[in-house]
C-alpha cells in the first residue's frame, strides 16, 4: 500500500462510507509523484480526457498499488532459490486397491461427520483455451450440452450419493468472472446439487505489466488487473469471511481442486480415508508420468519436506533417474487435487508465498488509446500457486490415481490437454457426449 502520509483529506465528521472512499484515494498530484518515482507515470496519460468520476476511479486504483514490491522493482529477483530435491514414493494403485474398502469407510465417515469441505479453484482466466467466459461454462458435449461445471458436479454427486449427505462446495471466483459464474450455476440449478451447500468467495487481483515492467492500462480510466493465482485461496477465504464459516461448520479437511479436470473425483472418500489413515498433514493426487519428458510438476521432497518440482526445474539427471526396478525415481506428477488439514493451513496465512511470473497474452490499450488483443504473449502476470502450500506442510501423502480414469484436463483449444483429448477420455469412461 502507498504511504499513508500521501493520503488525501480529513476524515473527521464524515460517514464511514465517505471515510472509506477518501482514505482509498490520492490527489492527482500525489498520484503523479508516486507513479513518476516508480517509473509508471504513463498510467495518467489519459487523465485529462476523463470525467471526474473516471478520474476518481483511476486514482483509487493507483492508491491501491504497492509499487515497492519486488515484481515492480526487479522481476528477476523473483526467481525462487530451491533446496535439495529427493524422490518421494507414493501410495500406489495396487496398495490402494488392497485397502480400498477400509479407506472408503474412513472417508465416508469423515464426510458424514461434516469434516470435509471442497474448494473449487475457478478464478483463472483460461487464456490458453481462448474461451471468453469462465472455463467451467465450456461445453464439452457433442450431441448434447455437457458443461465443465456439470462434469464436476456430476463427479461430486457420485460421492454425495454414497455418503447420503452434501459436501460444502466453496467456489473461488475472481473479480473478472464472479457474476457470470454465479448466474450460470443458478440458471442451471447447480446441476442438481443442493444450492444451500454451494458457497462463493472471490480472490484478489494483481496488476499485469508489459515486457518492460510498465503496468498495462485496460481502459483510459483503469489498469489491467488479473487474478493473483490459485495460491491465495486460503487467505482469500479468510479475507472474505469464508474461513469463519468453515470453522463454524467444523470442517477439518479441505479438498482443493482445479476447474479443468473433467474426470477428477472430488471429495473422493478413498483419498480422504487414505490420507487420514496415513497421519499425513496433506495429500496430493498424482499420476504416473507418461514419459521422462512429460511436462508435469512432480511431487517430491525438498530439504526433507514435501514439495513440487516443476518440469522445467528438473535437471536431465533428475528426469531420467531410475529406481532399481527400472521405474523413474521422480515419476508421480501432480494433477491439482489436494487435501489439506485446516489446522495445518493456519500458519500459511502468515507465510510469504513465492511469486511466480506467467508470460501471457494480455489485452490492453496502447499509447494511442486503441485496444490491443495480442496473439502472442506480450507481458507478465504475477501469481502465487497452491503447489507452494504443499511445501509449507510437514508431510504429504502422494496418492496415485489412474490417469485414464481421473485425469482429463482441458487446458488448450487444441493439441495436448485439449478439448479433444478430454472428450476422448470422457467417452472412454462411458460418458455420452
Ligand atoms: P491454470 O494454471 O490452468 O491457469 O489454473 P488459468 O488462468 O485457468 O489458465 P491459463 O493458464 O490462462 O490458460 C489452474 C487452476 O487454478 C485456477 C484455475 O481456474 C484452474 O482451476 N486459478 C488459476 C484460479 O482459481 N485463480 C487464478 O488466479 C489462477
Amino acid at each position: 500500500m502507498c504511504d499513508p502520509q500521501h493520503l488525501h483529506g480529513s476524515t473527521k465528521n464524515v460517514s464511514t462510507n465517505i471515510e472509506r472512499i477518501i482514505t482509498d484515494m490520492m490527489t492527482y498530484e500525489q498520484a503523479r509523484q508516486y507513479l513518476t518515482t516508480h517509473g509508471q507515470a504513463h498510467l495518467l496519460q489519459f487523465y485529462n480526457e476523463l470525467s471526474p468520476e473516471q478520474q476518481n476511479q483511476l486514482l483509487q486504483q493507483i492508491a491501491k498499488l504497492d509499487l515497492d514490491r519486488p515484481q515492480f522493482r526487479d522481476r528477476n529477483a523473483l526467481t525462487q532459490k530451491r533446496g535439495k530435491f529427493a524422490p518421494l514414493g507414493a501410495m500406489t494403485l495396487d496398495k490402494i486397491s488392497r485397502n480400498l474398502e477400509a479407506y472408503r469407510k474412513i472417508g465416508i465417515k469423515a464426510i458424514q461427520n461434516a469434516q470435509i469441505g471442497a474448494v473449487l479453484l475457478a478464478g483463472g482466466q483460461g487464456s490458453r483455451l481462448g474461451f471468453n467466459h469462465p472455463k467451467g461454462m465450456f461445453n464439452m458435449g457433442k450431441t448434447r450440452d455437457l458443461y465443465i461445471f456439470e462434469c464436476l458436479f456430476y463427479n461430486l454427486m457420485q460421492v454425495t450419493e454414497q455418503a447420503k449427505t452434501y459436501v460444502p462446495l466453496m467456489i473461488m471466483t475472481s473479480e473478472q468472472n464472479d457474476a457470470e459464474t454465479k448466474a450460470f450455476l443458478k440458471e442451471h440449478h447447480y446441476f442438481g446439487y443442493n444450492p444451500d451447500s454451494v458457497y462463493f468467495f472471490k480472490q484478489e487481483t494483481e496488476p499485469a505489466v508489459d515486457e518492460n515492467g510498465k503496468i498495462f492500462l485496460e481502459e483510459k480510466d483503469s489498469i489491467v488487473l488479473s487474478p493473483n493465482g490459485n495460491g491465495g485461496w486460503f487467505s482469500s477465504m479468510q479475507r472474505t469471511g469464508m474461513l469463519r464459516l468453515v470453522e463454524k461448520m467444523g470442517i477439518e479437511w479441505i479438498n482443493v481442486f482445479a476447474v479443468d479436470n473433467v474426470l477428477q473425483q472430488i471429495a473422493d472418500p478413498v483419498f480422504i480415508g487414505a490420507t487420514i489413515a496415513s497421519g499425513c498433514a496433506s495429500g496430493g493426487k498424482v499420476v504416473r508420468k507418461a514419459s521422462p519428458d512429460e511436462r508435469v510438476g512432480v511431487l517430491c521432497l525438498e530439504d526433507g519436506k514435501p514439495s513440487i518440482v516443476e518440469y522445467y526445474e528438473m535437471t536431465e539427471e533428475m528426469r531420467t533417474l531410475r529406481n532399481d526396478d527400472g521405474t523413474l525415481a521422480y515419476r508421480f506428477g501432480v494433477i491439482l487435487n489436494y487435501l489439506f488439514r485446516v489446522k495445518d493451513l493456519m500458519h500459511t496465512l502468515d507465510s510469504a508465498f513465492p511469486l511466480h511470473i506467467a508470460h501471457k497474452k494480455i489485452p490492453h490499450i496502447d499509447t494511442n488509446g486503441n485496444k490491443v488483443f495480442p496473439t502472442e504473449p506480450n507481458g507478465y502476470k504475477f501469481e502465487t500457486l497452491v503447489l507452494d502450500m504443499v511445501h509449507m506442510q510437514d508431510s504429504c501423502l502422494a496418492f496415485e490415481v489412474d490417469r485414464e480414469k481421473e485425469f482429463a484436463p482441458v487446458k488448450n483449444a487444441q493439441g495436448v490437454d485439449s478439448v479433444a483429448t478430454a472428450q476422448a477420455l470422457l467417452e472412454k469412461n462411458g460418458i455420452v457426449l
Side-chain angles (χ1 to χ4, degrees):
M1 245 350 226
C2 62
D3 183 342
Q5 285 177 13
H6 289 164
L7 297 173
H8 155 80
S10 158
T11 56
K12 274 193 188 145
N13 305 324
V14 286
S15 76
T16 322
N17 256 351
I18 297 172
E19 261 176 47
R20 202 171 44 75
I21 292 166
I22 290 174
T23 47
D24 275 355
M25 274 191 51
M26 282 175 156
T27 62
Y28 170 78
E29 193 43 36
Q30 287 164 341
R32 195 188 61 75
Q33 275 180 29
Y34 181 57
L35 294 175
T36 306
T37 318
H38 292 86
Q40 303 285 356
H42 64 285
L43 295 180
L44 290 169
Q45 188 195 337
F46 302 104
Y47 188 81
N48 290 332
E49 298 175 28
L50 305 177
S51 69
E53 291 76 28
Q54 290 173 313
Q55 290 179 338
N56 281 346
Q57 168 175 308
L58 184 59
L59 291 178
Q60 274 186 51
Q61 283 197 341
I62 293 167
K64 286 187 185 138
L65 294 176
D66 180 355
L67 298 174
D68 288 318
R69 287 185 305 157
Q71 67 264 45
F72 302 118
R73 282 190 282 112
D74 178 12
R75 214 172 39 243
N76 297 328
L78 294 178
T79 314
Q80 234 185 310
K81 277 210 184 62
R82 304 301 301 250
K84 195 172 173 338
F85 291 115
L88 175 68
M91 184 181 273
T92 50
L93 288 172
D94 54 337
K95 164 124 202 262
I96 295 167
S97 70
R98 285 199 296 277
N99 296 296
L100 197 77
E101 279 319 309
Y103 292 149
R104 189 195 306 281
K105 243 181 168 169
I106 300 171
I108 290 283
K109 198 165 149 223
I111 293 170
Q112 289 172 340
N113 289 342
Q115 292 166 326
I116 308 297
V119 169
L120 165 55
L121 302 171
Q125 292 184 302
S127 56
R128 282 170 288 172
L129 184 61
F131 176 60
N132 216 4
H133 301 280
K135 206 189 250 187
M137 286 171 60
F138 189 84
N139 192 346
M140 300 295 294
K142 290 180 179 172
T143 60
R144 62 172 183 132
D145 290 338
L146 181 66
Y147 302 100
I148 289 183
F149 277 136
E150 187 172 3
C151 296
L152 300 180
F153 276 102
Y154 172 83
N155 298 350
L156 177 56
M157 282 189 288
Q158 304 296 306
V159 171
T160 55
E161 275 162 22
Q162 277 179 58
K164 303 197 172 36
T165 181
Y166 287 101
V167 170
L169 175 66
M170 298 162 269
I171 303 178
M172 182 168 85
T173 60
S174 59
E175 202 51 57
Q176 286 77 4
N177 71 16
D178 182 70
E180 208 179 351
T181 302
K182 285 177 177 161
F184 178 81
L185 289 176
K186 190 165 178 217
E187 184 193 330
H188 288 87
H189 308 287
Y190 305 90
F191 296 104
Y193 207 66
N194 176 13
D196 294 340
S197 299
V198 180
Y199 305 84
F200 295 90
F201 64 99
K202 260 197 264 181
Q203 68 173 104
E204 282 101 289
T205 50
E206 272 286 344
V209 301
D210 70 13
E211 290 175 339
N212 298 312
K214 304 284 180 205
I215 295 174
F216 280 120
L217 278 174
E218 183 168 38
E219 298 290 347
K220 292 180 176 177
D221 63 352
S222 59
I223 58 182
V224 173
L225 293 172
S226 31
N228 64 345
N230 57 32
W233 67 273
F234 196 63
S235 61
S236 296
M237 282 179 78
Q238 185 195 39
R239 187 185 47 80
T240 55
M242 192 69 237
L243 186 54
R244 269 203 308 279
L245 213 64
V246 162
E247 287 167 335
K248 210 169 137 200
M249 290 191 276
I251 292 173
E252 291 178 19
W253 292 88
I254 295 181
N255 180 206
V256 186
F257 62 100
V259 73
D260 42 35
N261 178 5
V262 286
L263 271 184
Q264 71 193 313
Q265 285 188 42
I266 302 153
D268 173 359
V270 182
F271 177 41
I272 295 168
T275 307
I276 293 176
S278 74
C280 287
S282 61
K285 286 198 167 186
V286 293
V287 292
R288 220 166 268 236
K289 273 176 71 166
S291 72
D293 293 325
E294 195 186 0
R295 296 171 150 229
V296 289
V298 168
L299 192 50
C300 61
L301 291 173
E302 181 185 355
D303 296 334
K305 290 186 73 176
S307 187
I308 287 137
V309 57
E310 292 282 11
Y311 67 89
Y312 53 81
E313 295 175 311
M314 288 175 79
T315 58
E316 181 63 16
E317 194 195 341
M318 284 169 80
R319 265 199 297 271
T320 52
L321 187 69
R322 294 200 179 259
N323 297 315
D324 292 344
D325 62 2
T327 53
L328 290 172
Y330 292 90
R331 70 181 183 287
F332 294 112
V334 285
I335 61 168
L336 220 176
N337 189 316
Y338 300 104
L339 189 67
F340 290 105
R341 189 156 56 191
V342 176
K343 74 172 164 59
D344 290 298
L345 285 176
M346 289 304 180
H347 72 99
T348 67
L349 292 171
D350 306 318
S351 307
F353 279 65
L355 214 48
H356 297 256
I357 308 173
H359 198 205
K360 300 259 178 165
K361 297 176 212 159
I362 304 169
H364 62 280
I365 58 166
D366 62 18
T367 48
N368 299 317
N370 297 323
K371 269 272 182 209
V372 178
F373 295 97
T375 50
E376 293 301 322
N378 62 325
Y380 300 99
K381 294 180 181 176
F382 302 101
E383 303 185 334
T384 59
L385 299 181
V386 62
L387 55 83
D388 287 313
M389 252 179 186
V390 173
H391 192 46
M392 296 175 188
Q393 305 303 309
D394 285 336
S395 49
C396 182
L397 174 73
F399 179 91
E400 189 186 6
V401 297
D402 183 344
R403 60 189 304 151
E404 297 278 292
K405 294 193 183 136
E406 266 210 59
F407 189 42
V410 183
K411 294 283 186 195
N412 304 303
Q414 269 134 25
V416 182
D417 296 342
S418 62
V419 177
T421 57
Q423 280 175 327
L425 281 163
L426 282 168
E427 283 176 327
K428 210 168 170 181
N429 282 278
I431 311 284
V432 177
L433 298 182

